[in-house]
């Protein structure tokens, strides 16, 4: 339970997390505060828009419509990973949900089922609408998923919350299905890993007088083959999948990398092995030290594809 961030602290937290933030009009003073309180805030709520087209989506979320005046959230996360700030303060996004869910968020405990609509969520949650048709088929680009992760982590970091302070609309209001296309448990796992890693970018420094070589993160030590077997779930699997996605190996993810090794991930490993490691034997999809090294080097531009 916390006092809402000031608008300046809010945007500063998002930018410090490395997000591309777009300010839409007078977003700092565009709100529904005349209809009720804004705060205390307890968490972050994620939605999907059921719209297509970034410009239309942002305008709709800012202005709302005759039955539901805007702003309909605080920020819109478009498919390109940009965060468009459309309002700040009370927004028409959460609606009535289950008070037991709110209490679980406050306590940062496991969520109960959302069986009732007895509590106004608009004072208590930062809200972000994500551009997606919500039909379970419209893809979620990795740039957009990463932006969702960063947005939530930025706010949790600013308030000292854990990943249990983020929920989906479907976990709050009975009958809602958003966001559809990934699970909130999966997204909370990403946020947890980000918070634990302390992935806040360093403060900006003056431009150097001479060109410099972009810094590359040091390759983590190979943790062991057991972390990459089919069905294994851990942060090392997530790291490998992120490298493979960045390097462009194998079929595209529909939802994005996760903490669990699937057959799709093994197929990506095989594609990399066929390209670089064929001299060591047939591609088997099993990650050893060499596969780990090559996935890291390709993802960070140290080896050409």
């Amino acid at each position: 339970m916390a006092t809402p961030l000031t608008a300046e602290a809010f945007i500063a937290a998002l930018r410090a997390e490395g997000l591309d933030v777009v300010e839409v009009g007078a977003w700092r003073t565009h709100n529904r505060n005349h209809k009720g309180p804004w705060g205390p805030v307890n968490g972050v709520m994620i939605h999907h828009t059921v719209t297509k087209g970034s410009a239309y989506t942002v305008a709709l979320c800012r202005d709302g419509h005759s039955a539901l005046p805007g702003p309909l959230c605080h920020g819109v996360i478009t498919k390109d990973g940009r965060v468009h700030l459309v309002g700040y303060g009370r927004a028409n996004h959460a609606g009535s949900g289950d008070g037991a869910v709110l209490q679980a968020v406050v306590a940062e405990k496991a969520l109960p089922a959302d069986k009732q609509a007895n509590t106004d969520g608009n004072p208590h949650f930062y809200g972000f609408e994500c551009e997606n048709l919500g039909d379970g088929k419209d893809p979620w680009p990795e740039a957009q998923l990463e932006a969702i992760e960063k947005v939530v982590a930025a706010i949790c970091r600013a308030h000292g919350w854990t990943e249990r302070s983020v929920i989906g609309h479907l976990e709050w209001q009975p009958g809602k299905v958003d966001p559809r296309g990934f699970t909130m448990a999966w997204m909370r796992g990403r946020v947890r890993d980000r918070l634990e890693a302390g992935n806040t970018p360093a403060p900006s420094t003056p431009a150097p007088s001479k060109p410099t070589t972009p810094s590359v993160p040091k390759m983590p030590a190979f943790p062991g083959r057991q972390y990459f077997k089919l069905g294994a779930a851990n942060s090392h699997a997530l790291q490998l999948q992120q490298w493979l996605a960045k390097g462009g190996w194998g079929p595209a993810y529909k939802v994005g990398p996760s903490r669990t090794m699937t057959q799709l991930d093994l197929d990506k490993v095989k594609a990399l092995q066929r390209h670089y490691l064929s001299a060591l034997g047939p591609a088997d999809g099993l990650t050893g030290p060499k596969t780990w090294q090559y996935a890291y080097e390709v993802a960070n531009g140290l080896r050409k594809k």
Side-chain angles (χ1 to χ4, degrees):
M1 189 174 294
T3 301
L5 299 171
T6 65
E8 291 307 319
F10 175 71
I11 191 172
L14 298 179
R15 285 177 168 157
E17 204 70 33
L19 287 155
D20 185 356
V21 180
V22 180
E23 300 183 66
V24 181
W27 67 271
R28 291 171 175 81
T29 55
H30 184 46
N31 54 57
R32 303 285 294 166
N33 289 359
H34 60 289
K35 291 293 185 180
W38 163 231
V41 287
N42 306 108
V44 188
M45 188 175 295
I46 301 299
H47 308 256
H48 66 226
T49 60
V50 197
T51 60
K52 185 176 182 179
S54 297
Y56 169 75
T57 297
V58 171
L60 176 64
C61 290
R62 184 192 186 281
D63 300 331
H65 48 79
S66 59
L68 192 66
L72 304 185
C73 59
H74 300 106
V76 182
I77 304 174
T78 47
K79 285 186 175 291
D80 58 6
R82 292 191 295 173
V83 183
H84 305 256
L85 300 184
V86 297
Y88 202 66
R90 184 184 176 95
N92 275 333
H93 76 95
S96 295
D98 198 309
V101 173
L102 178 61
Q103 291 307 309
V105 171
V106 171
E108 295 194 316
K109 294 182 178 180
L111 299 178
D114 54 338
K115 296 179 180 179
Q116 301 183 66
N118 55 15
T119 303
D120 182 7
N122 291 328
H124 300 295
F125 291 95
Y126 295 93
F128 290 87
E129 289 279 358
C130 305
E131 179 190 356
N132 191 274
L133 292 175
D135 57 3
K137 300 177 182 178
D138 192 12
W140 291 88
E142 176 56 26
Q144 189 179 30
L145 292 168
E146 184 177 9
I148 298 170
E149 171 194 325
K150 287 182 176 181
V151 161
V152 173
I155 296 174
C156 288
R157 209 187 297 279
H159 283 294
W161 296 336
T162 73
E163 77 282 355
R164 288 195 176 276
S165 288
V166 57
I167 65 173
H169 200 194
L170 78 171
E171 295 173 308
W172 169 247
Q173 192 171 48
K176 296 296 182 180
V177 300
D178 54 319
R180 191 176 183 188
F182 61 87
T183 69
M184 286 307 302
W186 175 75
M187 180 55 69
R188 281 190 285 267
R190 288 184 61 144
V191 173
R192 179 194 61 234
D193 290 345
R194 185 172 189 84
L195 292 173
E196 289 178 354
N199 282 343
T200 304
S204 59
T205 57
S209 56
K210 296 181 180 179
T212 59
T213 302
S215 61
V216 175
K218 183 179 179 181
M219 184 183 77
F222 178 65
R225 299 175 187 273
Q226 68 273 22
Y227 292 99
F228 308 104
K229 295 179 181 179
L230 182 64
N234 56 80
S235 60
H236 304 299
L238 174 62
Q239 177 66 86
L240 175 67
Q241 291 170 35
Q242 289 173 337
W243 287 342
L244 293 170
K246 188 174 180 181
W249 290 102
Y253 288 105
K254 291 183 179 179
V255 173
S258 71
R259 291 169 57 84
T260 303
M261 292 295 290
T262 68
Q263 186 59 52
L264 177 62
D265 303 312
L266 299 186
D267 290 342
K268 285 178 173 288
V269 171
K270 288 180 182 179
L272 181 142
Q273 291 172 333
R274 282 193 292 266
H275 190 84
Y276 289 113
L277 304 172
S278 58
L280 300 180
D284 58 11
L286 302 179
T287 297
K290 275 292 184 184
T291 301
W292 177 258
Q293 175 189 338
Y294 276 59
Y296 158 82
E297 291 179 353
V298 175
N300 288 284
L302 302 178
R303 186 176 297 276
K304 292 184 179 181
K305 185 173 180 180

